[in-house]
Amino acid sequence: MVATYSFESALKLAAKVNWQVEDIIGGDQQLNFAQRFLPETLANVSGIHCLNDAEKLKLNQIRGNSYLHLFGLVEEFIVPTVIGHLKTNGLTDITAAQALLHFAEEESKHIRLFRQFAKAFERGFGSRCECIGPAHEIAAAIAQHSPLGVMLIILYIEWMTQYHYLESVRNNSFESLDAQFCSLLRHHWLEEAQHTGLDTLMLEQLAQTLSPTEIETGIEDFFKIVAFLNGGLMAQAQLDIASLERATERTFTEAEKAEIQAIQQPSYQWAFIGSGITHRNFVQVFNTIGPSSQARLAEVSQQYQVISFNEYLP
Ligand SMILES: [Fe+2]
Ligand SMILES: [Fe+2]
């Protein structure tokens, strides 16, 4: 499928990047609530006319908090999927086994990283923010699908973090963002960048064992999970508006809520679905596994494209 990846090179690369949660958050390293947590490309608060600057800052930070919860959530189905693949393939290829165990260990570390950040947020934000969940129930609902469908989801999520760091935060000198949050996005991406190779290798191994009907089921499951995730994101955008009302001690009119929703819902869709499923490396792997579904992927991707925020301006 893609000849450039190997379990051996993944292991070597992993040894080079080996940070600890405590290097990134805790002690003197705390969130700075005077600054935005996410870049505008991910949070999209600037174009909301019914909010003043202080309220936009609050909404940006609420989006930062939901980012922590949403990623903590997806990592919860990545770990058992990787372990499940290892169980199926056994220890004959011991290098592959070590690489997969390391992969699962890193994702467990990421869950701890996101939880530590979420605790720091809760300590400093000043009001209650709600997130969709419980995370383990959502993760379990996703994990019920076929391994092929779940692995395709994981692959796009890992490529998505590239957009979240490389194209949003690195070299971003025009926004003054919280240093700890930038560090989180950078360190997460450093390891996710290697996971994309391991995901591709796992998918290659799995696809070789599947019949055409099983491949079809897996592809169908992929689209079902995308729709399921989208439902969760839309619910999260609603919860954010309630969190913003509490944070700003303001009650929004229906028109104001509609404006926030009209910008935030597509923002969530692009940040957590579109930026991953349109990534060329994801599309390449997807099209190799399910060539007959290429057109469907392209069609579904249209629903999650980056939006022009100008269309919401009065
Ligand atoms: Fe991760
Ligand atoms: Fe990962």
Side-chain angles (χ1 to χ4, degrees):
M1 186 184 295
V2 176
T4 49
Y5 299 123
S6 75
F7 286 110
E8 200 176 351
S9 63
L11 256 185
K12 278 185 190 157
L13 277 171
K16 285 185 192 167
V17 183
N18 213 4
W19 49 263
Q20 299 303 313
V21 172
E22 292 68 27
D23 300 336
I24 303 168
I25 188 79
D28 294 340
Q29 303 181 115
Q30 292 300 328
L31 296 172
N32 178 357
F33 286 87
Q35 288 183 310
R36 290 186 177 198
F37 292 168
L38 289 180
E40 181 63 10
T41 47
L42 296 179
N44 301 101
V45 300
S46 295
I48 303 175
H49 280 73
C50 67
L51 301 180
N52 63 31
D53 285 347
E55 291 163 340
K56 286 175 184 173
L57 176 65
K58 286 284 185 191
L59 181 56
N60 179 290
Q61 292 174 351
I62 289 168
R63 286 291 304 268
N65 182 54
S66 79
Y67 188 96
L68 302 171
H69 283 272
L70 290 168
F71 256 98
L73 186 159
V74 297
E75 309 276 20
E76 286 200 26
F77 65 80
I78 297 179
V79 176
T81 303
V82 175
I83 298 288
H85 187 78
L86 175 60
K87 274 188 187 168
T88 306
N89 286 272
L91 299 178
T92 310
D93 182 348
I94 199 66
T95 308
Q98 192 187 346
L100 291 174
L101 283 169
H102 192 78
F103 181 0
E105 192 268 335
E106 284 183 346
E107 295 297 23
S108 315
K109 181 176 70 178
H110 297 175
I111 295 175
R112 209 156 63 78
L113 174 77
F114 290 119
R115 286 184 187 170
Q116 289 295 100
F117 266 79
K119 275 187 199 162
F121 180 91
E122 214 177 319
R123 280 196 301 271
F125 186 65
S127 62
R128 184 169 54 88
C129 292
E130 285 185 7
C131 292
I132 55 169
H136 64 273
E137 282 183 19
I138 296 177
I142 291 167
Q144 278 176 359
H145 296 79
S146 60
L148 180 63
V150 178
M151 276 190 206
L152 283 167
I153 292 288
I154 294 172
L155 180 67
Y156 101 65
I157 288 171
E158 315 256 34
W159 279 118
M160 190 171 81
T161 63
Q162 183 180 58
Y163 175 79
H164 293 182
Y165 176 67
L166 288 186
E167 291 171 50
S168 302
V169 171
R170 193 176 66 164
N171 302 328
N172 182 342
S173 55
F174 49 90
E175 288 182 274
S176 176
L177 301 170
D178 171 62
Q180 251 53 56
F181 236 91
C182 291
S183 171
L184 170 129
L185 293 170
R186 176 173 170 272
H187 284 91
H188 191 220
W189 164 75
L190 279 172
E191 293 187 342
E192 298 299 291
Q194 301 155 43
H195 296 174
T196 53
L198 289 165
D199 292 329
T200 306
L201 289 164
M202 286 197 301
L203 276 163
E204 188 178 26
Q205 288 182 330
L206 176 65
Q208 279 169 0
T209 67
L210 301 179
S211 68
T213 311
E214 287 169 328
I215 297 265
E216 236 175 75
T217 304
I219 298 278
E220 193 57 43
D221 279 351
F222 165 78
F223 287 114
K224 279 185 195 162
I225 302 169
V226 166
F228 177 73
L229 287 173
N230 182 50
L233 296 172
M234 297 306 91
Q236 185 60 54
Q238 296 292 339
L239 291 173
D240 289 357
I241 295 175
S243 299
L244 184 61
E245 284 188 319
R246 280 190 291 274
T248 57
E249 298 180 344
R250 179 180 164 186
T251 304
F252 298 118
T253 65
E254 288 308 313
E256 287 165 342
K257 281 185 192 172
E259 190 209 358
I260 300 170
Q261 190 177 316
I263 293 179
Q264 286 296 297
Q265 287 191 336
S267 169
Y268 265 112
Q269 289 178 315
W270 169 250
F272 290 97
I273 298 176
S275 61
I277 67 173
T278 60
H279 193 289
R280 67 180 185 285
N281 294 351
F282 169 76
V283 173
Q284 185 193 6
V285 173
F286 180 95
N287 288 346
T288 308
I289 292 173
S292 61
S293 299
Q294 284 189 38
R296 187 172 173 200
L297 177 65
E299 192 189 314
V300 168
S301 297
Q302 291 294 320
Q303 298 168 33
Y304 305 108
Q305 283 295 337
V306 67
I307 57 162
S308 162
F309 293 97
N310 289 334
E311 66 188 271
Y312 298 105
L313 299 180

